Amino acid sequence: MQHVAELAGVHPSTVSRALNPATRDMVHPDLVNKVVDAAKKLAYRTDFNAKTLRTGRSKLIGALVPDISSSLFAAIISGINHRLGGAGYSVVIAEVGDDTSRLLELAHGLADHRVDGLILGNVFVEDPLVDFCIDHAIPAVLVNRAESGSRLSAVISDDLTAMQLAVDHLHSLGHRQIAHIAGPQEQSTGVLRRRGFKFALTGFELADSLIEVAVDYSREGGAAAMLRLLDRHPEITAVAAANDLLALGAYDAMASRGLKCPDDISLVGHNDIPHMDAVHPPMTTVRISHKEMGLLAADLLLQAINEPGAARRNIVLPPQLIIRQSTSAFRQGRTNRSAGATART
């Protein structure tokens, strides 16, 4: 740093401020440019180990997600990176699936590397990872999923209202035999969307028992659940799925039984992940702003880091129903076919 200061003709403290995104605006832009040019010529890089010892901050954040290839989590990560990068942090992203022992192992590893905080996108309703963060005084926030104790700040979507929007839409089209493909019940999204579905049907005095729980949030899980619905309840004319991948699996299951969407069964997804307008038929779904979710989660984490005594906060994002061609008005006499049987609805 002394060498950079000499080459740029400034004090070493100016170098420190100019190279730190969090303090760069304290330095005149011309001096910032001089410092940056000098640092490049000398191939200078900050010694983060020394900086961590000096400041007590590593400027590293760990983000744990179940599936980094998911467009949903890609959008969340984009928001996290945008906000934290602007605050001078680097984000270490770990794809950990839903293996609890693996989660704890990675959390320990990140803690050993002195991350300043964690963003958790993969918690269960009952989750030891939350206990770990609290026990080790690691600033942490939840994103997309919540846990039963509400012990950490979180950014989630309004799952109850989302399912109300889906059911209201299907009911307005004349559907009365409405089913639900639920997500895993170990996750808050699965629990709350199922609860929202049942509550919405109760308001219309409709049966709320046409539910199949998928083993995971995958296209394959959705197809298997839809096949079970068709076998057990061939009378259904509409389905509200707990996410878009489950809904895509329902498309596959319907096609395997010779059923058409929406001619035989209308279908509503959840999340509005990219390209739901390009599938056939374009999918009616509930839109959640996942990039905004990532931005807000990063904001909450920065607050937790900078204000250790700050009160816990829950931010609930409003959903929006996006109507496309996978839903249509109920028509008396349409035919549904289950395994080897035909039923009139």
Side-chain angles (χ1 to χ4, degrees):
M1 187 177 291
Q2 180 65 43
H3 293 159
V4 173
E6 291 173 357
L7 182 59
V10 299
H11 192 275
S13 63
T14 302
V15 174
S16 177
R17 286 192 291 270
L19 296 179
N20 183 348
T23 57
R24 186 170 293 159
D25 58 359
M26 299 170 60
V27 181
H28 191 280
D30 290 342
L31 290 181
V32 170
N33 291 334
K34 285 184 178 181
V35 170
V36 170
D37 288 342
K40 287 181 179 178
K41 289 178 181 177
L42 295 173
Y44 170 81
R45 296 180 64 85
T46 301
D47 184 338
F48 284 104
N49 288 328
K51 187 175 181 180
T52 298
L53 290 172
R54 184 175 69 254
T55 66
R57 297 280 179 87
S58 67
K59 305 300 279 187
L60 292 175
I61 299 296
L64 305 183
V65 298
D67 182 4
I68 200 170
S69 67
S70 162
S71 55
L72 183 158
F73 282 102
I76 291 174
I77 290 168
S78 174
I80 290 170
N81 275 327
H82 180 79
R83 185 70 87 234
L84 292 178
Y89 286 86
S90 297
V91 182
V92 179
I93 300 165
E95 179 184 64
V96 293
D98 289 319
D99 182 342
T100 303
S101 61
R102 176 66 175 153
L103 289 175
L104 289 172
E105 179 184 335
L106 278 169
H108 276 284
L110 290 168
D112 290 343
H113 283 80
R114 299 180 181 273
V115 293
D116 290 337
L118 293 173
I119 295 180
L120 311 178
N122 51 352
V123 297
F124 296 96
V125 174
E126 303 293 337
D127 201 297
L129 191 54
V130 174
D131 296 324
F132 172 84
C133 292
I134 293 173
D135 292 344
H136 291 77
I138 299 173
V141 301
L142 311 182
V143 64
N144 190 55
R145 299 184 193 173
E147 57 100 24
S148 61
S150 298
R151 293 169 292 169
L152 296 175
S153 293
V155 185
I156 59 174
S157 61
D158 189 341
D159 292 316
L160 300 180
T161 298
M163 292 310 302
Q164 184 75 57
L165 290 174
V167 171
D168 284 354
H169 173 61
L170 293 170
H171 187 271
S172 72
L173 293 173
H175 295 280
R176 300 297 180 265
Q177 300 295 330
I178 304 173
H180 177 50
I181 299 178
Q185 297 300 287
E186 300 82 15
Q187 300 172 19
S188 65
T189 49
V191 171
L192 293 176
R193 291 169 195 173
R194 180 178 182 174
R195 186 180 301 166
F197 172 80
K198 292 170 73 71
F199 181 80
L201 287 186
T202 300
F204 292 121
E205 298 184 351
L206 299 178
D208 62 2
S209 57
L210 307 179
I211 298 174
E212 284 293 334
V213 179
V215 296
D216 57 20
Y217 281 118
S218 69
R219 189 164 181 162
E220 295 75 16
M226 185 65 179
L227 289 174
R228 294 195 298 272
L229 275 174
L230 293 173
D231 289 342
R232 297 171 184 175
H233 304 287
E235 71 276 14
I236 62 174
T237 67
V239 174
N243 87 346
D244 291 335
L245 291 179
L246 296 179
L248 289 174
Y251 274 9
D252 297 336
M254 290 169 63
S256 74
R257 295 290 175 84
L259 297 172
K260 293 182 179 180
C261 177
D263 295 346
D264 294 306
I265 298 177
S266 287
L267 184 65
V268 179
H270 190 111
N271 283 325
D272 195 27
I273 61 176
H275 312 306
M276 290 303 96
D277 59 338
V279 299
H280 183 73
M283 188 182 294
T284 295
T285 186
V286 178
R287 175 177 293 168
I288 309 298
S289 178
H290 292 105
K291 183 167 184 177
E292 182 182 4
M293 191 177 279
L295 290 167
L296 291 170
D299 286 338
L300 288 180
L301 185 61
L302 289 172
Q303 182 182 42
I305 292 170
N306 296 320
E307 305 172 37
R312 178 191 58 79
R313 294 174 58 198
N314 272 352
I315 299 176
V316 181
L317 298 182
Q320 177 187 5
L321 181 69
I322 305 299
I323 300 174
R324 299 190 180 106
Q325 283 74 59
S326 66
T327 52
S328 66
F330 169 75
R331 294 190 305 275
Q332 189 66 35
R334 68 173 64 188
T335 300
N336 286 353
R337 293 176 290 278
S338 62
T342 302
R344 289 284 175 183
T345 60

